[in-house]
Amino acid sequence: MDLGLAGRWALVCGSSRGLGWGCASALANEGVNLVMVARNAATLEQAADQVAMTAAGRGASTKVLRVAADIATPDGRAAVFAARREVDILVTNAGGPPPGDFRDWDRNTWLQALDANMLAPIELMKATVDGMAARGFGRVVNITSSAVKAPIDILGLSNGARSALTGFVAGLARTRKLAGANVTINNLLPGGFDTGRLQRVMAQAGKNYEEEAASRLQAVPAGRFGTPGEFGAVCAFLCSVHAGYLTGQNILVDGGAYPGTH
Ligand code: NAD
């Protein structure tokens, strides 16, 4: 299926590794030009070269700009928009907050989680969606978490910050000014994906990787973790010309782990 995206510009945050990288790669393979953002310049350069080379190998012509910046800060976002102001596609993403006990979290801990997982996506949308609407095409995909539908006790910072973003998006996506101008906004909710983050969270649990993985996979009907490539493919479809009537949704990609119907 031709996704109809060749020549568009996408800003993909947190894209040097993991799920963000999967989204950047899938879009580049469709001929989308990218602004890739991550904090570590060396890792970002390597990832961006790889994305560009793979896309070229598949015959896709794509430009890849790289911005080493912290997307959770105003300075980081200013650096991104200095590199490229207008984008047709926005994929918001940043590292998830650490697990813990809410008794140990002070105001500053909460503000960091809100900055990264609620306010940064909102600021990025604020800076881009009206331009998308004026040009008659826009796609926003926020990478959130399956914890929005099924909160996990030790991930209270993530549950709180991402639920706040989810509520905000539910309203914004349904405004006539955006939905009526072919600008869609959806949240993509990962379950268990085999990325650096998952490996770090499992290591923090202090258990043997294989044992911990086996115990987590008992709750996943697919019997395996997802791959960044699979996640990126769903993201690319949501960004495609075919998904113009799909907005304001929270889409789980979790191998069937969530047991409910909505
Ligand atoms: P990852 O650690 O593998 O990759 C995160 C990427 O984001 C890296 O490129 C990193 O450099 C970049 N990044 C992090 N914070 C940033 C910031 N402030 N500014 C710019 N770049 C930043 O993580 P992942 O597994 O790809 O997870 C992506 C998101 O999805 C996270 O918020 C995570 O909590 C969430 N999530 C992941 C899973 C999973 O199973 N992997 C499950 C649920 C939710």
Side-chain angles (χ1 to χ4, degrees), residues 7-9 24-25 27-35 48 51-56 59-66:
R8 297 276 183 198
W9 274 92
S25 188
L27 290 168
N29 291 345
E30 295 297 321
V32 175
N33 301 309
L34 298 177
V35 182
V51 162
M53 235 165 49
T54 309
S61 153
T62 176
K63 300 181 191 74
V64 183
L65 307 182
R66 304 113 202 258

Side-chain angles (χ1 to χ4, degrees), residues 24-94:
S25 188
L27 290 168
N29 291 345
E30 295 297 321
V32 175
N33 301 309
L34 298 177
V35 182
M36 288 177 68
V37 187
R39 285 168 303 183
N40 184 298
T43 319
L44 176 63
E45 280 301 316
Q46 226 178 359
D49 286 346
Q50 196 191 350
V51 162
M53 235 165 49
T54 309
R58 296 167 63 113
S61 153
T62 176
K63 300 181 191 74
V64 183
L65 307 182
R66 304 113 202 258
V67 183
D70 183 342
I71 203 67
T73 66
D75 285 354
R77 292 188 289 274
V80 167
F81 289 120
R84 169 105 198 159
R85 190 65 196 81
E86 284 184 359
V87 293
D88 310 300
I89 295 166
L90 165 66
V91 180
T92 75
N93 178 37

Side-chain angles (χ1 to χ4, degrees), residues 13-21 37-40 43 69-73 93-97 116-117 143-147 158 162 189-198 200 225 231:
C13 305
S15 49
S16 68
R17 289 185 315 222
L19 304 179
W21 179 87
V37 187
R39 285 168 303 183
N40 184 298
T43 319
D70 183 342
I71 203 67
T73 66
N93 178 37
N117 300 110
I143 301 181
T144 65
S145 173
S146 59
S158 170
R162 296 190 205 272
L189 284 51
F193 277 80
D194 195 8
T195 65
R197 168 162 171 96
L198 188 74
R200 285 193 304 279
F225 294 120
F231 192 83

Side-chain angles (χ1 to χ4, degrees), residues 123-181:
E123 289 293 338
L124 289 163
M125 286 186 270
K126 184 174 156 188
T128 54
V129 293
D130 289 339
M132 292 174 182
R135 296 188 299 278
F137 178 91
R139 300 285 185 261
V140 179
V141 175
N142 299 298
I143 301 181
T144 65
S145 173
S146 59
V148 169
K149 293 225 179 211
I152 301 165
D153 57 354
I154 56 167
L155 294 180
L157 290 167
S158 170
N159 301 336
R162 296 190 205 272
S163 294
L165 175 66
T166 304
F168 173 78
V169 165
L172 182 69
R174 290 175 173 82
T175 55
R176 182 62 69 100
K177 193 174 173 191
L178 298 178

